[in-house]
Amino acid sequence: MATQGKLELTIKISEFPSDVKTVENGWKSFEIDCDGQVVTVTVKPKMFKKIEEAQANYPMWVAAIAGKMGEATGQGFVLNEPAIQVFEKKPKEPKETAVTSRDLQ
């Protein structure tokens, strides 16, 4: 008998979804291309608002969309029970070059 496990997926995006559709009850649906696999995500408006706020307020951001693999579609699958967390992405500071005594002469 196989050991029981739980398959959870996390997809990271850093750009606003281009083709967002409003479906029943005001929910938002969009697709993410993950290396050729098209993942369909449908979330409540309150959850989608996190991505909208990140787009409006942060110059750089990343959204982590987690969920379970759902039914297969023609090009990928549906993400079941999606949850979204958004983080501001800070630009990396350039590394300072070390100044040696030889440079000072």
Side-chain angles (χ1 to χ4, degrees), residues 9-17 30-35 37 39 41 51 61-67 79 83-87 89:
L9 304 168
T10 301
I11 301 167
K12 294 180 182 178
I13 62 172
S14 58
E15 60 184 55
F16 194 79
F30 57 96
E31 294 180 337
I32 303 169
D33 185 345
C34 298
D35 299 323
Q37 290 284 317
V39 181
V41 181
I51 297 175
W61 55 272
V62 64
I65 305 170
L79 189 67
I84 298 175
Q85 288 185 304
V86 176
F87 305 95
K89 196 172 176 182

Side-chain angles (χ1 to χ4, degrees), residues 14 21 35 49-50 75-76:
S14 58
K21 298 177 185 89
D35 299 323
K49 188 173 175 104
K50 294 177 183 182
Q75 298 173 326

Side-chain angles (χ1 to χ4, degrees), residues 1-62:
M1 178 181 240
T3 301
Q4 293 295 313
K6 188 175 183 181
L7 177 64
E8 295 179 339
L9 304 168
T10 301
I11 301 167
K12 294 180 182 178
I13 62 172
S14 58
E15 60 184 55
F16 194 79
S18 60
D19 190 22
V20 180
K21 298 177 185 89
T22 301
V23 293
E24 63 181 80
N25 298 327
W27 287 41
K28 304 290 185 177
S29 181
F30 57 96
E31 294 180 337
I32 303 169
D33 185 345
C34 298
D35 299 323
Q37 290 284 317
V38 178
V39 181
T40 305
V41 181
T42 304
V43 295
K44 293 180 181 180
K46 184 178 180 181
M47 198 173 298
F48 187 76
K49 188 173 175 104
K50 294 177 183 182
I51 297 175
E52 291 175 321
E53 288 174 349
Q55 178 72 8
N57 298 327
Y58 303 139
M60 295 173 57
W61 55 272
V62 64

